[in-house]
Amino acid sequence: MEQNKRMRILMCQNSTEGILCGVYEAFTSRYGHAWQKLAVGPYVNGDLFSDIYSVEVNTEKAGKVVKAIISKISEEAWYLVHMASEADSQEKGEIIYRFLILAFANGRKVLNAMSIPEVMGLHQLSRSVSREIQHLYGFLRFQELQNYILYARLVSKHHVGMFLAEHFQDRLPMEHWVIHDVERDEVWIHRAGEDWLYIRHPDFRQDPQMMLSSSEYAFTEWWKTFTESVAILERRNPKLQMQMLPKRYWKYMPEMFTNPGR
């Protein structure tokens, strides 16, 4: 009987595909949305009244969910779901699942129902990720290495490397470049005239600052001198500076550290 059902917690991989596969399993199981939850991460804490099911990543199943979102709701809905799925949030799997339950039942009009917590939650996650991507379009710093590859170290709250790779493939199509997410051990590699490639667990152990080309080292010194010369000490406002340029991005910006090294 319904009242004797145990809650099922679907444990998904912390990725867009992982969450989409969790959604697929939840909808196709016919177990009932009221008795299922989506959790994201390497593990979840269960209780005496819940069963935990591990969801395996399956590209074909994830693709079916994407097609269903676009055809039955809208491309805008897929954009929001995709952005939200890359957010740094433990609740994102459940928010996306609850949103899709509503959206598949009511269509694209649900996107404007901001008074509904699931809809508002999805918009908030998506907006937070989108805002960081826009920041990093300007804050990410490429530096030329001795082998003439442009290298950028990325630090971000959300998982945004793929979106940056797509952007810079359009902006720098004829350059060899690398974007390295140093905290997640991920790398996006682009060869001139080709599409970018993604690599997990790279072995970048040597400090790239020790491999700068001579021209890049000179430019870095010049850039630092320039930024210092145009600064007006009397109008220095650290609090406003950190609002416009959050401190977490400073670590790999040449103008923000004192000695780029050789």
Side-chain angles (χ1 to χ4, degrees):
M1 297 178 66
E2 284 290 309
Q3 60 266 31
N4 294 325
K5 270 190 175 183
R6 290 173 60 84
M7 181 65 69
R8 289 171 31 130
I9 300 177
L10 303 178
M11 186 176 68
C12 309
Q13 183 188 86
N14 187 9
S15 67
T16 300
E17 279 195 339
I19 294 173
L20 294 176
C21 287
V23 170
Y24 181 91
E25 295 297 334
F27 274 86
T28 58
S29 69
R30 306 293 183 183
Y31 193 74
H33 296 311
W35 300 95
Q36 297 184 102
K37 293 182 178 179
L38 254 65
V40 175
Y43 63 88
V44 294
N45 293 322
D47 55 52
L48 294 175
F49 307 101
S50 303
D51 296 321
I52 298 176
Y53 290 82
S54 180
V55 178
E56 295 184 1
V57 175
N58 183 298
T59 302
E60 183 178 353
K61 291 179 180 179
K64 288 181 179 180
V65 177
V66 174
K67 290 180 181 178
I69 293 172
I70 294 174
S71 62
K72 296 181 180 180
I73 311 172
S74 67
E75 290 189 2
E76 181 186 1
W78 163 236
Y79 171 84
L80 293 171
V81 168
H82 190 190
M83 284 286 180
S85 69
E86 300 294 359
D88 178 30
S89 167
Q90 293 182 342
E91 292 77 34
K92 62 184 178 181
E94 183 67 3
I95 291 173
I96 291 171
Y97 176 37
R98 297 300 157 188
F99 165 78
L100 289 176
I101 294 171
L102 289 170
F104 281 134
N106 298 282
R108 65 182 303 159
K109 63 183 179 181
V110 78
L111 290 173
N112 298 320
M114 302 298 285
S115 61
I116 300 176
E118 292 84 353
V119 178
M120 174 62 79
L122 185 78
H123 278 278
Q124 288 176 334
L125 288 178
S126 176
R127 190 159 49 242
S128 181
V129 174
S130 179
R131 187 181 301 117
E132 181 163 54
I133 293 170
Q134 293 297 324
H135 281 163
L136 285 166
Y137 286 163
F139 297 158
L140 195 69
R141 295 290 186 264
F142 285 95
Q143 293 182 286
E144 185 183 68
L145 304 182
Q146 293 171 8
N147 55 8
Y148 304 108
I149 292 175
L150 300 180
Y151 175 85
R153 285 180 290 186
L154 169 65
V155 56
S156 62
K157 178 181 179 182
H158 304 298
H159 189 227
V160 298
M162 182 189 72
F163 302 108
L164 296 175
E166 291 177 349
H167 173 76
F168 286 105
Q169 179 170 287
D170 290 336
R171 292 294 301 275
L172 303 171
M174 301 311 296
E175 299 285 351
H176 300 303
W177 52 255
V178 171
I179 297 175
H180 178 199
D181 189 329
V182 296
E183 295 180 347
R184 297 178 178 86
D185 288 330
E186 296 179 320
V187 167
W188 289 264
I189 299 174
H190 177 264
R191 298 184 66 179
E194 300 181 10
D195 292 334
W196 56 266
L197 299 174
Y198 167 79
I199 298 177
R200 178 71 175 170
H201 297 307
D203 187 20
F204 284 160
R205 300 191 181 278
Q206 187 174 0
D207 183 0
Q209 294 300 316
M210 303 299 292
M211 300 184 289
L212 293 182
S213 67
S214 57
S215 59
E216 180 62 35
Y217 180 77
F219 179 83
T220 299
E221 289 295 295
W222 174 86
W223 178 244
K224 285 177 54 190
T225 301
F226 171 76
T227 55
E228 291 170 1
S229 65
V230 298
I232 302 174
L233 295 180
E234 292 77 10
R235 300 185 64 180
R236 188 172 181 269
N237 187 337
K239 184 177 292 187
L240 178 61
Q241 182 184 36
M242 283 187 283
Q243 288 178 2
M244 304 299 293
L245 178 56
K247 201 167 185 177
R248 66 177 177 271
Y249 302 127
W250 292 11
K251 186 175 181 181
Y252 300 123
M253 298 181 73
E255 64 267 38
M256 302 305 289
F257 53 75
T258 57
N259 186 5
R262 265 303 279 192

